[in-house]
Amino acid sequence: MLKGAKLYCTEPRVSILQAMIKADRPLARNQMVKLLGKNHFDKVTIYRTLECFLDAGLVHKAFLQKRAWFFELAHHCSKIQCHPHFTCTKCGSTECLIGVSVPMIKGLKKGIVIYRQQTRLEGLCQKCNSVTN
Amino acid sequence: MLKGAKLYCTEPRVSILQAMIKADRPLARNQMVKLLGKNHFDKVTIYRTLECFLDAGLVHKAFLQKRAWFFELAHHCSKIQCHPHFTCTKCGSTECLIGVSVPMIKGLKKGIVIYRQQTRLEGLCQKCNSVTN
DNA sequence: ACAGATTTGCAACTAAGTTGCAAATCTTTT
DNA sequence: AAAAGATTTGCAACTTAGTTGCAAATCTGT
Ligand SMILES: [Zn+2]
Ligand SMILES: [Zn+2]
Ligand SMILES: [Zn+2]
Ligand SMILES: [Zn+2]
């Protein structure tokens, strides 16, 4: 993947990419750090690595939560639209709604060009909902 | 409005609410500070004021941009869904797409309850698009 | 193994938002 | 109008995500 994207193939990049592939869900930096365990990299390195993955189109910034960006591999996404993301307001977990389709928006003013459309949902997840009563 | 929401009617609250009504677009704290001009309030006060407006249902957190929340009056919004927001990736401006309708998502797993659905668009605004070539 | 290009890690920084607490302000009662 | 009780304000100090500059380390192609 790295070579395909013409990126230098370095240890942090390989490890971070592996972690993201293994996790297969959106991750924020501190979650990556946990997954990387003893493979410790400076936070600057992680951010810069993610940025270069972004430029190469390998990952997307999926969403911002508690002021931290969550990144996910781009391979489940179409160019103009990722799958929707659902966040539980009670437990804070976020889930990718892969396979749920969202029509592109219509009726915009002329002159605007859309690069990307994103849908976010908030509510109660199955667990929290069943506990609620 | 404040009395209707059973809130203490204080100078910061009145001024901030007036600024938001006058602006009629999503504002982040530092934009409010500019609009308030010589009416200077501590940032803590502004955040706490916005939070109490939130609790009272007067405003919504519209979106997060550059790690700052933008707040807007809730009176254009339905309970489950605000209008979509469009952000220009070139100039960074964000626009409310009032009157553009978005169907609620379907086909979710059972057990999930949706409180809120949100659509975000990214692309080029009219200005930036016409300058581009 | 070398040279040139790129990436890494450190330290210092920026900026949004939060917390505790005493002083100030608001509302209601007298 | 003044007092009492409840709420809000502003300050200082803090937390945390993310950024910047730069020298040292690593990677690639020869
Ligand atoms: Zn939950
Ligand atoms: Zn996702
Ligand atoms: Zn623009
Ligand atoms: Zn809006």
Side-chain angles (χ1 to χ4, degrees):
Chain A
M1 273 170 102
L2 291 170
K3 286 185 178 161
K6 290 182 188 169
L7 296 174
Y8 268 47
C9 188
T10 68
E11 206 210 322
R13 289 180 181 177
V14 171
S15 302
I16 291 170
L17 197 46
Q18 280 178 342
M20 291 189 78
I21 291 169
K22 197 172 170 198
D24 197 33
R25 64 192 167 94
L27 297 173
R29 181 190 60 96
N30 55 7
Q31 295 177 304
M32 291 182 197
V33 169
K34 273 177 209 154
L35 292 180
L36 289 166
K38 45 202 163 186
N39 280 36
H40 184 271
F41 308 112
D42 191 84
K43 64 177 176 171
V44 181
T45 302
I46 297 182
Y47 286 122
R48 288 201 274 229
T49 298
L50 290 169
E51 205 192 339
C52 93
F53 289 176
L54 254 188
D55 293 343
L58 294 177
V59 305
H60 284 158
K61 280 184 177 181
F63 53 88
L64 205 46
Q65 194 170 292
K66 286 199 185 166
R67 302 169 58 238
W69 276 105
F70 283 65
F71 294 80
E72 70 184 340
L73 293 176
H75 60 209
H76 290 311
C77 311
S78 82
K79 251 176 216 157
I80 201 165
Q81 187 174 156
C82 278
H83 45 266
H85 288 101
F86 168 83
T87 301
C88 175
T89 52
K90 198 168 177 194
C91 67
S93 66
T94 294
E95 193 177 329
C96 295
L97 302 178
I98 293 171
V100 176
S101 73
V102 184
M104 286 301 292
I105 222 164
K106 279 170 194 161
L108 298 179
K109 278 192 247 171
K110 300 167 208 85
I112 292 182
V113 185
I114 301 298
Y115 288 162
R116 213 126 188 288
Q117 174 172 319
Q118 218 180 32
T119 305
R120 298 264 290 129
L121 297 160
E122 265 184 22
L124 290 180
C125 72
Q126 280 179 310
K127 270 190 201 168
C128 293
N129 186 33
S130 62
V131 174
T132 301
N133 349 337
Chain B
M1 274 169 101
L2 290 171
K3 286 185 178 160
K6 290 181 186 167
L7 295 174
Y8 267 49
C9 188
T10 66
E11 206 211 323
R13 289 180 180 177
V14 172
S15 302
I16 291 170
L17 196 47
Q18 280 177 342
M20 292 189 78
I21 290 169
K22 198 173 169 197
D24 197 32
R25 63 191 167 95
L27 297 172
R29 182 191 59 97
N30 56 7
Q31 295 177 303
M32 290 183 197
V33 169
K34 274 177 207 152
L35 293 179
L36 290 167
K38 44 202 165 188
N39 281 35
H40 184 270
F41 308 113
D42 190 82
K43 65 178 177 171
V44 181
T45 302
I46 297 182
Y47 286 123
R48 287 202 272 229
T49 297
L50 290 169
E51 204 192 339
C52 94
F53 288 177
L54 255 187
D55 292 343
L58 294 177
V59 305
H60 282 158
K61 280 184 175 181
F63 52 89
L64 205 45
Q65 195 170 293
K66 286 197 188 170
R67 304 171 56 238
W69 276 105
F70 283 65
F71 293 81
E72 69 184 341
L73 293 176
H75 59 209
H76 291 310
C77 310
S78 83
K79 250 175 220 162
I80 200 166
Q81 187 173 157
C82 276
H83 45 267
H85 288 100
F86 169 82
T87 301
C88 176
T89 51
K90 199 169 176 193
C91 67
S93 66
T94 294
E95 195 177 327
C96 296
L97 302 177
I98 293 170
V100 176
S101 73
V102 184
M104 286 300 291
I105 223 165
K106 279 170 197 161
L108 298 179
K109 278 190 249 172
K110 300 165 209 90
I112 292 182
V113 186
I114 301 298
Y115 288 162
R116 215 125 188 288
Q117 174 172 320
Q118 218 180 33
T119 305
R120 299 263 293 129
L121 297 160
E122 264 184 23
L124 289 179
C125 72
Q126 280 178 312
K127 270 189 199 168
C128 293
N129 186 31
S130 62
V131 173
T132 302
N133 354 337

